Amino acid sequence: MSAQKAMNMRTTVESLQNRLSCAAKQSLDRKFGALYDKLYREDVLGEAWRRVRKNDGAAGVDKQDFEYIEKEIGVERFLAELGKELHDYTYRPKPVLRCWIEKPGKAEKRPLGIPVIRDRVAQMCAKLVLEPIFEANFMRNSHGFRPGLSAHTALTMVRRALTFERKTEIIDADIKGCYNNIRHDILLRLVQKRISDPRVIRLIRAWLQAGVMEEGQYHEADDIGTPQGGVLSPLLANVYLHCFDKMFAQSGIYGTLVRYADDFVVALRGNSRRALRLIREMLRRLGLELHAEKTRIVSARKGFDFLGAHIRLCAVRKKASRLSYSARLWPSDKSMVRIKQKIRDKIGRRFSLTLEEVVKELNPVIRGWNNYHQYKTGITPEAKRFRELNRFVRERIRIFLKRKYSDESRSWWRVPGGLYTQVGLVKFG
């Protein structure tokens, strides 16, 4: 697919999304009927392939990865066959390949569902068409997996609630097994509030009931759960949890709810225990419950972790400031542990690599962590943690060189003084 053709497809898909978004905003209870035919449009299929390919990922149960499709089948033929199946109503999703991935710093593992690439592209087509419609209804407190919003916008909202609205009682909560406990009957009813095309509803139901393949054994899908790892799953989870957002807004709780997918905090001025009791009742109506170990009430002055950051309400020392307290952010302890483990894993025991090659592999990890954790508050805890990480990287490089050359000394002399300027290692902070 040429670059010019891909750009033209992107433009036409954006035009379609803009039209759907405008129509959805004009009437927040309008139901959209004829949408299925837009799923197999050539431009929608092309843009869906581009996005799925960019995300990369492993092969599903059919063992077909991106390289196989590109070399053996051909992208245009692959998309044409998928479009024909959707057009002829012969498309049937394959089971999701389930694998278990470790949670950083914990013994437990969480399930990850990997659909085949064909199903990923089909789901992305549905996402491109459905997302602009549901975005018109979503509330401003929801930040996860939404265009134009991110973890940074969620952290900014929390920071403002603490600093300017004086809400110092925090409910730090996590929904237990959210993706695994989404009820299909409730979810489909919520989708049907905006989508009246029965073909689209049947397609979504087929994805939900595709089943799971684990260690060569097929397991039929229950009436609850959406695979965590599916392209459409985050949008469906937001549609489901939008009910919770609305219930909170209408509950009369004087607080600020900030939600990122199934992780959320509520900033309040008081009555936090009553608010937590009401929140549990709201989630119970959706068949969900809070994680007992991860849910707590805490004072903002003592601090809490949210989305990889530690947030704490600190006294302002500037005499001329109009604020007595201000919310400050710095990398959380868990985030520090995770990045250190990533650095250890990246350096590893590959003693055949040169120092320059090791640095080349470390730089994307450090740069990505920097981009996320640049809060730029200029406070001492943030600067201390960056200095700690820089010392840690130098120490791991020293250990690597010591083992590489079987040096009996501490090998500090092998670590070049111009590690950042000459070798090109990226600094934390």
Side-chain angles (χ1 to χ4, degrees):
M1 188 184 299
S2 66
Q4 184 62 41
K5 186 176 181 181
M7 188 176 296
N8 292 339
M9 285 182 175
R10 204 175 313 163
T11 303
T12 54
V13 171
E14 287 177 358
S15 177
L16 169 65
Q17 289 181 314
N18 288 336
R19 292 198 304 273
L20 290 171
S21 178
C22 289
K25 289 175 181 177
Q26 286 176 0
S27 177
L28 295 179
D29 56 356
R30 172 183 169 180
K31 292 187 178 183
F32 289 77
L35 291 176
Y36 185 83
D37 61 305
K38 296 171 177 59
L39 301 183
Y40 52 81
R41 279 176 31 169
E42 183 182 0
D43 54 344
V44 174
L45 285 164
E47 177 63 12
W49 167 264
R50 187 188 70 82
R51 295 194 184 191
V52 171
R53 184 66 180 93
K54 184 179 178 180
N55 292 336
D56 205 6
V61 294
D62 62 356
K63 305 292 179 67
Q64 292 185 4
D65 56 13
F66 288 102
E67 288 72 20
Y68 177 85
I69 292 172
E70 290 170 343
K71 293 178 181 178
E72 302 296 329
I73 302 176
V75 176
E76 291 190 3
R77 177 186 165 191
F78 173 81
L79 295 179
E81 290 176 355
L82 176 58
K84 188 175 188 306
E85 287 181 14
L86 289 169
H87 177 271
D88 296 342
Y89 306 107
T90 58
Y91 169 80
R92 298 292 183 273
K94 293 185 180 295
V96 173
L97 179 64
R98 175 178 287 170
C99 60
W100 295 85
I101 59 175
E102 294 182 356
K103 289 187 175 182
K106 296 182 181 179
E108 60 180 313
K109 297 183 178 182
R110 66 180 178 91
L112 181 69
I114 305 176
V116 298
I117 295 176
R118 170 174 156 274
D119 292 343
R120 272 181 259 175
V121 175
Q123 288 186 30
M124 183 61 77
C125 290
K127 183 176 183 288
L128 290 171
V129 174
L130 299 179
E131 188 174 61
I133 298 171
F134 288 108
E135 274 293 323
N137 292 85
F138 290 160
M139 303 180 73
R140 59 186 294 271
N141 63 279
S142 170
H143 297 260
F145 307 105
R146 293 183 59 190
L149 297 175
S150 64
H152 291 111
T153 60
L155 291 171
T156 299
M157 191 172 181
V158 173
R159 193 174 176 183
R160 286 175 179 170
L162 270 58
T163 303
F164 300 110
E165 299 175 20
R166 300 179 182 179
K167 297 173 180 176
T168 59
E169 289 189 20
I170 305 297
I171 298 175
D172 180 13
D174 182 84
I175 301 174
K176 184 178 180 180
C178 178
Y179 285 85
N180 296 331
N181 292 298
I182 291 177
R183 285 177 48 181
H184 294 177
D185 56 341
I186 297 178
L187 175 60
L188 291 173
R189 283 203 303 269
L190 293 172
V191 172
Q192 287 174 316
K193 286 187 174 183
R194 288 296 254 169
I195 310 300
S196 60
D197 191 332
R199 298 167 297 179
V200 175
I201 301 300
R202 281 197 297 269
L203 189 60
I204 294 174
R205 184 181 287 109
W207 283 323
L208 292 173
Q209 298 177 349
V212 173
M213 188 73 73
E214 184 176 6
E215 297 181 352
Q217 297 291 323
Y218 173 73
H219 304 277
E220 289 188 1
D222 299 323
D223 292 330
I224 59 171
T226 177
Q228 191 168 355
V231 175
L232 197 61
S233 295
L235 176 60
L236 295 178
N238 274 333
V239 171
Y240 198 79
L241 292 175
H242 174 64
C243 259
F244 168 60
D245 297 340
K246 287 182 68 177
M247 283 190 281
F248 182 89
Q250 297 168 6
S251 66
I253 299 174
Y254 185 70
T256 300
L257 168 67
V258 183
R259 182 176 62 79
Y260 190 93
D262 58 346
D263 194 7
F264 68 90
V265 297
V266 181
L268 304 138
R269 288 190 178 180
N271 297 323
S272 53
R273 294 188 183 279
R274 172 181 172 272
L276 182 57
R277 188 172 64 253
L278 291 174
I279 288 170
R280 291 185 191 276
E281 178 61 26
M282 295 173 203
L283 292 173
R284 189 191 63 78
R285 295 172 62 184
L286 294 172
L288 302 173
E289 61 178 338
L290 293 177
H291 201 297
E293 296 178 0
K294 298 180 181 179
T295 301
R296 61 183 184 135
I297 297 173
V298 64
S299 170
R301 292 185 177 89
K302 293 183 178 179
F304 59 98
D305 293 347
F306 184 53
L307 301 179
H310 182 78
I311 309 171
R312 186 178 297 180
L313 197 61
C314 303
V316 177
R317 297 180 180 179
K318 290 183 180 179
K319 294 182 179 179
S321 175
R322 296 181 179 181
L323 297 171
S324 301
Y325 292 89
S326 175
R328 302 299 175 90
L329 285 71
W330 57 82
S332 67
D333 292 339
K334 290 181 181 179
S335 184
M336 295 284 286
V337 170
R338 284 196 293 266
I339 187 61
K340 286 180 180 180
Q341 189 58 49
K342 276 188 179 180
I343 290 168
R344 288 191 191 95
D345 295 341
K346 187 61 69 172
I347 294 176
R349 303 178 67 87
R350 297 173 297 167
F351 301 126
S352 61
L353 298 180
T354 64
L355 176 59
E356 288 74 15
E357 290 172 333
V358 170
V359 168
K360 189 176 180 181
E361 293 199 15
L362 282 177
N363 281 345
V365 176
I366 298 173
R367 196 176 289 116
W369 198 88
N370 273 344
N371 290 339
Y372 184 85
H373 287 283
Q374 284 287 1
Y375 307 121
K376 298 180 180 177
T377 58
I379 59 174
T380 303
E382 181 182 2
K384 277 184 177 179
R385 298 206 161 200
F386 289 141
R387 287 197 295 269
E388 177 189 341
L389 288 174
N390 285 323
R391 286 195 298 268
F392 177 80
V393 173
R394 287 181 65 86
E395 174 67 11
R396 296 310 303 180
I397 289 176
R398 179 193 70 78
I399 293 172
F400 169 79
L401 294 174
K402 174 182 173 66
R403 292 172 177 171
K404 175 180 174 68
Y405 295 105
S406 302
D407 196 338
E408 294 183 359
S409 70
R410 288 184 60 79
S411 296
W412 274 116
W413 66 275
R414 292 187 181 276
V415 181
L419 191 60
Y420 302 110
T421 56
Q422 295 175 6
V423 185
L425 180 67
V426 174
K427 262 189 175 183
F428 280 101

